[in-house]
PDB file of all heavy atoms in Angstrom:
ATOM      1  N   LEU D 270      87.779 199.326 149.603  1.00 98.00           N
ATOM      2  CA  LEU D 270      87.898 199.935 148.250  1.00 98.00           C
ATOM      3  C   LEU D 270      86.439 200.060 147.711  1.00 98.00           C
ATOM      4  O   LEU D 270      85.790 199.056 147.491  1.00 98.00           O
ATOM      5  CB  LEU D 270      88.763 199.005 147.316  1.00 98.00           C
ATOM      6  CG  LEU D 270      90.068 198.528 147.906  1.00 98.00           C
ATOM      7  CD1 LEU D 270      90.717 197.589 146.864  1.00 98.00           C
ATOM      8  CD2 LEU D 270      91.031 199.691 148.231  1.00 98.00           C
ATOM      9  N   PRO D 271      85.970 201.268 147.459  1.00 98.00           N
ATOM     10  CA  PRO D 271      84.628 201.402 146.941  1.00 98.00           C
ATOM     11  C   PRO D 271      84.509 200.847 145.504  1.00 98.00           C
ATOM     12  O   PRO D 271      85.524 200.647 144.871  1.00 98.00           O
ATOM     13  CB  PRO D 271      84.366 202.898 147.027  1.00 98.00           C
ATOM     14  CG  PRO D 271      85.738 203.539 147.086  1.00 98.00           C
ATOM     15  CD  PRO D 271      86.629 202.560 147.677  1.00 98.00           C
ATOM     16  N   PRO D 272      83.282 200.645 145.087  1.00 98.00           N
ATOM     17  CA  PRO D 272      83.139 200.090 143.689  1.00 98.00           C
ATOM     18  C   PRO D 272      83.930 200.864 142.671  1.00 98.00           C
ATOM     19  O   PRO D 272      83.964 202.079 142.698  1.00 98.00           O
ATOM     20  CB  PRO D 272      81.606 200.251 143.428  1.00 98.00           C
ATOM     21  CG  PRO D 272      81.028 200.200 144.795  1.00 98.00           C
ATOM     22  CD  PRO D 272      81.995 200.842 145.728  1.00 98.00           C
ATOM     23  N   ARG D 273      84.597 200.110 141.776  1.00 98.00           N
ATOM     24  CA  ARG D 273      85.374 200.726 140.684  1.00 98.00           C
ATOM     25  C   ARG D 273      86.580 201.543 141.172  1.00 98.00           C
ATOM     26  O   ARG D 273      87.167 202.327 140.331  1.00 98.00           O
ATOM     27  CB  ARG D 273      84.524 201.586 139.771  1.00 98.00           C
ATOM     28  CG  ARG D 273      83.580 200.794 138.906  1.00 98.00           C
ATOM     29  CD  ARG D 273      84.286 200.318 137.640  1.00 98.00           C
ATOM     30  NE  ARG D 273      83.758 198.988 137.253  1.00 98.00           N
ATOM     31  CZ  ARG D 273      84.463 198.174 136.494  1.00 98.00           C
ATOM     32  NH1 ARG D 273      85.671 198.453 136.072  1.00 98.00           N
ATOM     33  NH2 ARG D 273      83.967 196.963 136.161  1.00 98.00           N
ATOM     34  N   PHE D 274      86.939 201.416 142.442  1.00 98.00           N
ATOM     35  CA  PHE D 274      88.127 202.181 142.919  1.00 98.00           C
ATOM     36  C   PHE D 274      89.373 201.747 142.197  1.00 98.00           C
ATOM     37  O   PHE D 274      89.586 200.533 142.065  1.00 98.00           O
ATOM     38  CB  PHE D 274      88.272 201.957 144.446  1.00 98.00           C
ATOM     39  CG  PHE D 274      89.462 202.645 145.028  1.00 98.00           C
ATOM     40  CD1 PHE D 274      89.440 204.029 145.342  1.00 98.00           C
ATOM     41  CD2 PHE D 274      90.639 201.919 145.294  1.00 98.00           C
ATOM     42  CE1 PHE D 274      90.528 204.678 145.880  1.00 98.00           C
ATOM     43  CE2 PHE D 274      91.774 202.618 145.816  1.00 98.00           C
ATOM     44  CZ  PHE D 274      91.682 203.934 146.115  1.00 98.00           C
ATOM     45  N   ARG D 275      90.157 202.662 141.766  1.00 98.00           N
ATOM     46  CA  ARG D 275      91.472 202.344 141.170  1.00 98.00           C
ATOM     47  C   ARG D 275      92.520 203.164 141.877  1.00 98.00           C
ATOM     48  O   ARG D 275      92.597 204.412 141.639  1.00 98.00           O
ATOM     49  CB  ARG D 275      91.456 202.645 139.676  1.00 98.00           C
ATOM     50  CG  ARG D 275      92.716 202.256 138.965  1.00 98.00           C
ATOM     51  CD  ARG D 275      92.580 202.474 137.466  1.00 98.00           C
ATOM     52  NE  ARG D 275      93.813 202.041 136.816  1.00 98.00           N
ATOM     53  CZ  ARG D 275      94.378 202.709 135.810  1.00 98.00           C
ATOM     54  NH1 ARG D 275      93.846 203.849 135.396  1.00 98.00           N
ATOM     55  NH2 ARG D 275      95.453 202.268 135.246  1.00 98.00           N
ATOM     56  N   GLY D 276      93.251 202.515 142.771  1.00 98.00           N
ATOM     57  CA  GLY D 276      94.238 203.280 143.616  1.00 98.00           C
ATOM     58  C   GLY D 276      95.462 203.630 142.789  1.00 98.00           C
ATOM     59  O   GLY D 276      95.817 202.994 141.839  1.00 98.00           O
ATOM     60  N   ARG D 277      96.103 204.737 143.239  1.00 98.00           N
ATOM     61  CA  ARG D 277      97.420 205.081 142.642  1.00 98.00           C
ATOM     62  C   ARG D 277      98.499 204.197 143.243  1.00 98.00           C
ATOM     63  O   ARG D 277      98.358 203.701 144.404  1.00 98.00           O
ATOM     64  CB  ARG D 277      97.715 206.543 142.931  1.00 98.00           C
ATOM     65  CG  ARG D 277      96.739 207.485 142.264  1.00 98.00           C
ATOM     66  CD  ARG D 277      96.926 208.891 142.743  1.00 98.00           C
ATOM     67  NE  ARG D 277      98.209 209.517 142.240  1.00 98.00           N
ATOM     68  CZ  ARG D 277      98.262 210.218 141.126  1.00 98.00           C
ATOM     69  NH1 ARG D 277      97.185 210.428 140.406  1.00 98.00           N
ATOM     70  NH2 ARG D 277      99.447 210.671 140.740  1.00 98.00           N
ATOM     71  N   ALA D 278      99.606 204.053 142.541  1.00 98.00           N
ATOM     72  CA  ALA D 278     100.699 203.130 143.009  1.00 98.00           C
ATOM     73  C   ALA D 278     101.623 203.861 143.906  1.00 98.00           C
ATOM     74  O   ALA D 278     101.859 205.074 143.817  1.00 98.00           O
ATOM     75  CB  ALA D 278     101.386 202.550 141.837  1.00 98.00           C
ATOM     76  N   HIS D 279     102.218 203.125 144.837  1.00 98.00           N
ATOM     77  CA  HIS D 279     103.360 203.635 145.619  1.00 98.00           C
ATOM     78  C   HIS D 279     104.160 202.375 146.084  1.00 98.00           C
ATOM     79  O   HIS D 279     103.774 201.280 145.809  1.00 98.00           O
ATOM     80  CB  HIS D 279     102.899 204.546 146.767  1.00 98.00           C
ATOM     81  CG  HIS D 279     102.309 203.835 147.987  1.00 98.00           C
ATOM     82  ND1 HIS D 279     102.178 204.416 149.204  1.00 98.00           N
ATOM     83  CD2 HIS D 279     101.810 202.543 148.075  1.00 98.00           C
ATOM     84  CE1 HIS D 279     101.569 203.544 150.022  1.00 98.00           C
ATOM     85  NE2 HIS D 279     101.398 202.447 149.421  1.00 98.00           N
ATOM     86  N   ARG D 280     105.230 202.652 146.813  1.00 98.00           N
ATOM     87  CA  ARG D 280     106.014 201.563 147.364  1.00 98.00           C
ATOM     88  C   ARG D 280     106.614 201.990 148.667  1.00 98.00           C
ATOM     89  O   ARG D 280     106.721 203.196 148.920  1.00 98.00           O
ATOM     90  CB  ARG D 280     107.126 201.104 146.395  1.00 98.00           C
ATOM     91  CG  ARG D 280     108.130 202.149 146.080  1.00 98.00           C
ATOM     92  CD  ARG D 280     109.164 201.600 145.066  1.00 98.00           C
ATOM     93  NE  ARG D 280     110.148 202.612 144.672  1.00 98.00           N
ATOM     94  CZ  ARG D 280     111.162 202.396 143.890  1.00 98.00           C
ATOM     95  NH1 ARG D 280     111.364 201.188 143.354  1.00 98.00           N
ATOM     96  NH2 ARG D 280     111.958 203.389 143.542  1.00 98.00           N
ATOM     97  N   HIS D 281     106.921 200.992 149.498  1.00 98.00           N
ATOM     98  CA  HIS D 281     107.513 201.348 150.843  1.00 98.00           C
ATOM     99  C   HIS D 281     108.356 200.168 151.256  1.00 98.00           C
ATOM    100  O   HIS D 281     108.238 199.052 150.645  1.00 98.00           O
ATOM    101  CB  HIS D 281     106.410 201.644 151.869  1.00 98.00           C
ATOM    102  CG  HIS D 281     105.175 200.756 151.723  1.00 98.00           C
ATOM    103  ND1 HIS D 281     105.195 199.429 151.931  1.00 98.00           N
ATOM    104  CD2 HIS D 281     103.851 201.073 151.428  1.00 98.00           C
ATOM    105  CE1 HIS D 281     103.999 198.956 151.762  1.00 98.00           C
ATOM    106  NE2 HIS D 281     103.106 199.883 151.438  1.00 98.00           N
ATOM    107  N   VAL D 282     109.157 200.341 152.240  1.00 98.00           N
ATOM    108  CA  VAL D 282     110.039 199.243 152.679  1.00 98.00           C
ATOM    109  C   VAL D 282     109.311 198.240 153.542  1.00 98.00           C
ATOM    110  O   VAL D 282     109.717 197.087 153.613  1.00 98.00           O
ATOM    111  CB  VAL D 282     111.387 199.667 153.324  1.00 98.00           C
ATOM    112  CG1 VAL D 282     112.226 200.419 152.321  1.00 98.00           C
ATOM    113  CG2 VAL D 282     111.190 200.398 154.584  1.00 98.00           C
ATOM    114  N   HIS D 283     108.256 198.643 154.250  1.00 98.00           N
ATOM    115  CA  HIS D 283     107.586 197.671 155.084  1.00 98.00           C
ATOM    116  C   HIS D 283     106.882 196.698 154.214  1.00 98.00           C
ATOM    117  O   HIS D 283     106.490 196.978 153.062  1.00 98.00           O
ATOM    118  CB  HIS D 283     106.689 198.321 156.146  1.00 98.00           C
ATOM    119  CG  HIS D 283     105.461 199.011 155.658  1.00 98.00           C
ATOM    120  ND1 HIS D 283     105.404 200.299 155.256  1.00 98.00           N
ATOM    121  CD2 HIS D 283     104.199 198.493 155.503  1.00 98.00           C
ATOM    122  CE1 HIS D 283     104.185 200.627 154.899  1.00 98.00           C
ATOM    123  NE2 HIS D 283     103.458 199.498 155.020  1.00 98.00           N
ATOM    124  N   THR D 284     106.716 195.468 154.740  1.00 98.00           N
ATOM    125  CA  THR D 284     106.102 194.385 153.926  1.00 98.00           C
ATOM    126  C   THR D 284     104.686 194.093 154.458  1.00 98.00           C
ATOM    127  O   THR D 284     104.408 194.424 155.659  1.00 98.00           O
ATOM    128  CB  THR D 284     106.946 193.070 154.000  1.00 98.00           C
ATOM    129  OG1 THR D 284     106.877 192.508 155.281  1.00 98.00           O
ATOM    130  CG2 THR D 284     108.388 193.377 153.610  1.00 98.00           C
ATOM    131  N   CYS D 285     103.840 193.535 153.645  1.00 98.00           N
ATOM    132  CA  CYS D 285     102.480 193.290 154.029  1.00 98.00           C
ATOM    133  C   CYS D 285     101.973 191.894 153.543  1.00 98.00           C
ATOM    134  O   CYS D 285     102.494 191.390 152.547  1.00 98.00           O
ATOM    135  CB  CYS D 285     101.545 194.309 153.357  1.00 98.00           C
ATOM    136  SG  CYS D 285     101.902 196.037 153.711  1.00 98.00           S
ATOM    137  N   VAL D 286     101.058 191.376 154.313  1.00 98.00           N
ATOM    138  CA  VAL D 286     100.372 190.204 153.895  1.00 98.00           C
ATOM    139  C   VAL D 286      98.841 190.558 153.845  1.00 98.00           C
ATOM    140  O   VAL D 286      98.339 191.004 154.862  1.00 98.00           O
ATOM    141  CB  VAL D 286     100.499 188.994 154.824  1.00 98.00           C
ATOM    142  CG1 VAL D 286      99.834 187.752 154.319  1.00 98.00           C
ATOM    143  CG2 VAL D 286     101.993 188.691 155.041  1.00 98.00           C
ATOM    144  N   TYR D 287      98.228 190.389 152.658  1.00 99.00           N
ATOM    145  CA  TYR D 287      96.806 190.731 152.543  1.00 99.00           C
ATOM    146  C   TYR D 287      95.943 189.535 152.555  1.00 99.00           C
ATOM    147  O   TYR D 287      96.314 188.463 151.968  1.00 99.00           O
ATOM    148  CB  TYR D 287      96.610 191.458 151.169  1.00 99.00           C
ATOM    149  CG  TYR D 287      97.186 192.840 151.156  1.00 99.00           C
ATOM    150  CD1 TYR D 287      98.550 193.022 150.750  1.00 99.00           C
ATOM    151  CD2 TYR D 287      96.406 193.982 151.386  1.00 99.00           C
ATOM    152  CE1 TYR D 287      99.081 194.292 150.702  1.00 99.00           C
ATOM    153  CE2 TYR D 287      96.946 195.248 151.301  1.00 99.00           C
ATOM    154  CZ  TYR D 287      98.257 195.393 150.968  1.00 99.00           C
ATOM    155  OH  TYR D 287      98.799 196.662 150.899  1.00 99.00           O
ATOM    156  N   TYR D 288      94.773 189.681 153.137  1.00 99.00           N
ATOM    157  CA  TYR D 288      93.743 188.645 153.079  1.00 99.00           C
ATOM    158  C   TYR D 288      92.436 189.329 152.528  1.00 99.00           C
ATOM    159  O   TYR D 288      92.054 190.415 153.035  1.00 99.00           O
ATOM    160  CB  TYR D 288      93.432 188.106 154.446  1.00 99.00           C
ATOM    161  CG  TYR D 288      92.109 187.352 154.519  1.00 99.00           C
ATOM    162  CD1 TYR D 288      91.989 186.140 153.787  1.00 99.00           C
ATOM    163  CD2 TYR D 288      91.019 187.829 155.264  1.00 99.00           C
ATOM    164  CE1 TYR D 288      90.747 185.501 153.800  1.00 99.00           C
ATOM    165  CE2 TYR D 288      89.805 187.161 155.227  1.00 99.00           C
ATOM    166  CZ  TYR D 288      89.697 185.972 154.538  1.00 99.00           C
ATOM    167  OH  TYR D 288      88.517 185.348 154.539  1.00 99.00           O
TER     168      TYR D 288
END
Side-chain angles (χ1 to χ4, degrees):
L270 311 177
R273 289 275 145 203
F274 178 80
R275 183 176 182 221
R277 295 171 71 92
H279 76 163
R280 62 181 176 179
H281 38 64
V282 296
H283 70 270
T284 69
C285 302
V286 183
Y287 289 85
Y288 164 66

